Amino acid sequence: MFCAQQINIPPELPDLLKQFTKAAIRTQPHDVLQWSAAYFNALSRGEPLPVKERVEMPVATQKKDTGLTPGLLKILHKQLSSYQSVQLYELEQKWKDLCLPLEQLRSILALDNFGMEVEWIKFFALGCSTLGGSIRSALKHACEILTEDPEGGPARIPFETFTYLYLYLAEIDGEITVSQTESVLNTLQEEVDRQNGMVQPRHFMDALCPPLS
């Protein structure tokens, strides 16, 4: 009934499908259909896409893990960091778009007294703590996600941001004293002053820095 000359292929379609395919390969979603719907919805709205910057290679303990990863947390940060507070339903939707388990979201939210609005920077800090087994490792993840340095660079972030994240995680921990946090921040301040107000993981991972927790 139709010949090839009658079928009109939009000129932008091949490139659109190529970019979608590359995004799917980088992101490796567990539910391709659910993620695809989120991808094209974000594309049509001109919003940040739910796409990882690169493929994350799983470690041995993550072979069957479908939970949060640094790459997925970075996607969420790009999508939600423009808001000081995020509506809970919107956070849940973005979480489901990335095919993440709702049980993990609820366990993170349970760490603080969040209501129907979630302060994004606090949730981000708790997400980093989920990625790392210690405050030191959580803050390293935070630097690597928040930095504007190129991949493989020093992963610098403003000391003000680092201080907020550290004090908040110390408060959530509940066993870190004020004198401990002050000792860490005072020690880092000297190096930060030489780095134009920026801190990087090597500063607080150094053996000369007091324990963060």
Side-chain angles (χ1 to χ4, degrees):
M1 295 181 66
F2 298 95
C3 64
Q5 290 75 14
Q6 291 175 293
I7 300 174
N8 179 35
I9 300 177
E12 64 273 17
L13 182 60
D15 186 61
L16 188 153
L17 293 179
K18 179 181 178 181
Q19 295 305 319
F20 165 74
T21 302
K22 290 167 66 177
I25 292 172
R26 286 203 308 274
T27 307
Q28 299 285 302
H30 294 285
D31 186 331
V32 177
L33 288 178
Q34 180 174 331
W35 176 84
S36 299
Y39 176 92
F40 285 110
N41 184 53
L43 186 64
S44 68
R45 294 171 178 267
E47 298 173 351
L49 300 175
V51 179
K52 290 181 182 178
E53 294 181 354
R54 59 183 176 82
V55 176
E56 289 183 290
M57 300 304 292
V59 297
T61 56
Q62 294 177 322
K63 287 182 178 178
K64 296 184 179 179
D65 187 14
T66 59
L68 191 64
T69 66
L72 294 175
L73 183 56
K74 189 166 188 174
I75 291 174
L76 288 170
H77 184 69
K78 286 183 177 180
Q79 294 176 322
L80 300 172
S81 61
S82 60
Y83 307 100
Q84 182 175 352
S85 293
V86 183
Q87 295 295 321
L88 179 58
Y89 76 86
E90 185 175 3
L91 174 57
E92 288 179 341
Q93 186 58 58
K94 297 296 186 187
W95 191 268
K96 288 189 288 187
D97 287 345
L98 294 175
C99 313
L100 289 165
L102 284 176
E103 313 85 68
Q104 188 180 34
L105 174 62
R106 296 190 184 102
S107 69
I108 295 174
L109 291 170
L111 296 172
D112 199 349
N113 188 30
F114 294 115
M116 298 307 293
E117 287 192 356
V118 178
E119 191 173 341
W120 173 251
I121 193 64
K122 290 184 176 180
F123 182 86
F124 172 79
L126 296 176
C128 289
S129 71
T130 300
L131 298 174
S134 66
I135 287 185
R136 188 186 296 261
S137 128
L139 291 169
K140 182 175 183 291
H141 281 299
C143 288
E144 291 169 348
I145 292 172
L146 296 177
T147 188
E148 295 183 2
D149 291 329
E151 185 178 347
R156 296 165 298 179
I157 65 171
F159 188 51
E160 181 181 359
T161 302
F162 172 88
T163 299
Y164 183 89
L165 295 172
Y166 175 43
L167 293 179
Y168 174 67
L169 291 176
E171 178 185 353
I172 292 296
D173 180 272
E175 296 183 0
I176 303 173
T177 66
V178 172
S179 62
Q180 282 179 281
T181 59
E182 288 180 346
S183 177
V184 169
L185 296 176
N186 288 337
T187 300
L188 292 175
Q189 186 68 62
E190 296 180 13
E191 184 65 33
V192 167
D193 289 341
R194 292 193 289 268
Q195 301 293 331
N196 297 317
M198 305 293 279
V199 66
Q200 56 184 285
R202 74 172 182 82
H203 295 154
F204 57 85
M205 303 289 285
D206 193 285
L208 296 177
C209 180
L212 275 65
S213 60

